[in-house]
Amino acid sequence: MRSSSSHTNTTIVASTVAISTALFLLNKRRVAKKKQRAKLVDIQSPSDANKIDQVAYVRIRTSNLEKAVKFYTDLGLVRASDNIDTSNEKYVLLKSPIQLPGQPLLLLEFDPTREVRIANASDVGYARICLLVKDVYTTEKQMKLLGYEPISKAITDRPGSPDEKTGKNTNAPVTIIAYRDCDYNMVELVSLTGMMYAAISTFNKLNLLDFPAWVHVNINTTSFEKTYEAYNRGFGFVTDVDYGRVVNTLYQALNIADPGIAKQVQLIKLPKTNFSVDLIEWEDPQTTKAEGLGSSLDMAITVKDVAQKIDELCGESSSSWSLSSAPKVIYLPKPLGRAIHASISDEDGTEVSLVSFSSNLFSEKLIKSVGGGASIQPSSNKVVLITGCDSGFGKSTACQLAGLGFEVVAACYTAAGAQFLNDIAKTVIADLTTEKGLKAVIDVTTKVCSGDDKQLWGVVNNAGMCHPGHVLWTKPVSQKSIISLTPCLKTHI
């Protein structure tokens, strides 16, 4: 019996060691592959903000970057990047001291032409941002020592209105105070009381949270129903808390004209995130479109394919969104890096940025399919010619390859198609069924490739035409028009 038991124990130990060794080797191989992919695309380790379908950052366009950085760091936010300050710095990326998963970063963008004006708290668009602090009164004292005066006194109240049936407001009480930054953007500071305060304090003691932390941005709308439908169908925002009609002292304390009645208030959020949007339609004062430039705030939502998302939201079948600015390549501080950026507007004119980071653009399938990945290293020295860029696959490919760092020549059939890609590619308008059109594409591509160390690295012959019927029934001229472009380009370029 002892011999049998000893044999069994030896077998168990051996099996355990074998399984552990196999798991270790598999994990080592997975990590090595991950490092290889990161090296191939030359990107920074993606932060949580790079994940698809969430708010990556809230952007504030400021007329004075130095003052804006000082204000928000005095509040307690810290730099997300270790970039050294320079006189020509355009972007500064800030975050909470301990960034929770799903929380956005704060992107300050220097815009010297930005007109500074005081917006009413009920004006259409982004009205303010809201940050959670440990204790409002302590923060108020600290801010006063730094020379900042609030626009309202700290006040404690329960957000929302009493329940119609019970007459009681069961929402947790909060303490709130409001400031304005150097561009007069309103910033709410909120601290919790009672059980919620105890829970937050515990997280802080366990080093799982630090202050200030993101809570939400506020968006005012002229029609709650239409705006909610646009954000719900377009991005997947869902209701987190429904406050309904709101009359309380919190809004009055923010210097909103008396009595400060909100017709409808809901906190909406994207699933699996720790960030909300406070969607408000005001009753008194009524939400209206103000004159001027509107809010200097917007939020950037990560998408996998900017061009495809624009087609989906701004197509002929949709009236909820319109294109504000076409895609362009931007270079953000670490950990975000290179990205494709575009802006769309809802029916009120409130802007939302669409952003695809290079870490999300690079396809693992592409790495595996060409030369085992070793030869794929995006570079502006590599020129890629893409035809049929007016819509669909061609337009998306042009955006994605430009986002990765390739030099793109985009052949379009229409002026509208070329205009959409003007900021990210060298565009040419041409009818590729004609000798004139082919010559135009060849001439532009040859000129682009004539630069220092430039080479035609790839051709995506996406331009298509429909000639229905069996191949043997189509005319030779039709067959030639479909397949002749690529050999023609190879001959001349």
Side-chain angles (χ1 to χ4, degrees), residues 87-100:
S87 58
N88 60 351
E89 190 172 33
K90 183 178 181 181
Y91 297 107
V92 173
L93 200 61
L94 302 176
K95 65 174 184 177
S96 299
I98 297 179
Q99 194 78 5
L100 292 178

Side-chain angles (χ1 to χ4, degrees), residues 326-394:
K328 62 181 179 181
V329 177
I330 58 174
Y331 299 87
L332 299 177
K334 297 176 184 179
L336 297 182
R338 186 186 179 98
I340 291 289
H341 175 279
S343 293
I344 59 174
S345 301
D346 65 18
E347 292 185 72
D348 284 327
T350 302
E351 282 193 8
V352 171
S353 293
L354 305 177
V355 60
S356 288
F357 297 105
S358 58
S359 55
N360 291 329
L361 290 170
F362 199 81
S363 169
E364 291 185 29
K365 292 181 180 179
L366 181 63
I367 295 175
K368 294 175 182 177
S369 63
V370 182
S375 62
I376 300 182
Q377 296 193 23
S379 167
S380 59
N381 293 332
K382 294 176 180 176
V383 180
V384 180
L385 168 63
I386 308 172
T387 64
C389 294
D390 295 85
S391 62
F393 179 80

Side-chain angles (χ1 to χ4, degrees), residues 378-493:
S379 167
S380 59
N381 293 332
K382 294 176 180 176
V383 180
V384 180
L385 168 63
I386 308 172
T387 64
C389 294
D390 295 85
S391 62
F393 179 80
K395 183 162 68 172
S396 291
T397 303
C399 286
Q400 297 208 25
L401 291 183
L404 287 170
F406 290 100
E407 178 85 14
V408 175
V409 177
C412 301
Y413 185 70
T414 66
Q419 184 178 3
F420 183 86
L421 298 172
N422 269 343
D423 290 334
I424 64 168
K426 180 64 177 179
T427 58
V428 53
I429 304 170
D431 180 354
L432 298 180
T433 63
T434 66
E435 289 295 329
K436 182 180 178 181
L438 284 172
K439 186 177 184 305
V441 172
I442 291 168
D443 288 347
V444 170
T445 307
T446 302
K447 187 175 181 180
V448 171
C449 291
S450 64
D452 293 339
D453 298 325
K454 294 288 180 74
Q455 60 171 320
L456 182 60
W457 186 80
V459 176
V460 182
N461 188 10
N462 175 65
M465 54 199 75
C466 182
H467 293 287
H470 194 284
V471 66
L472 296 178
W473 298 346
T474 57
K475 296 179 180 180
V477 66
S478 298
Q479 298 173 15
K480 183 179 178 181
S481 67
I482 295 173
I483 64 174
S484 64
L485 175 62
T486 301
C488 180
L489 291 172
K490 286 183 177 179
T491 302
H492 290 85
I493 299 177

Side-chain angles (χ1 to χ4, degrees), residues 59-66 68 89-91 108-116 183 293 295-296:
R59 177 177 64 159
I60 297 180
R61 284 158 285 182
T62 175
S63 60
N64 192 316
L65 188 61
E66 184 180 353
E89 190 172 33
K90 183 178 181 181
Y91 297 107
L108 299 174
E109 178 182 343
F110 179 49
D111 183 0
T113 64
R114 189 76 191 169
E115 180 183 325
V116 178
D183 295 284
L293 295 173
S295 174
S296 60

Side-chain angles (χ1 to χ4, degrees), residues 19-38:
I19 292 171
S20 300
T21 303
L23 290 174
F24 171 77
L25 292 174
L26 285 172
N27 184 64
K28 187 176 181 181
R29 184 180 178 186
R30 181 184 63 80
V31 172
K33 284 188 173 181
K34 188 175 181 181
K35 287 182 178 179
Q36 182 190 24
R37 288 196 295 269

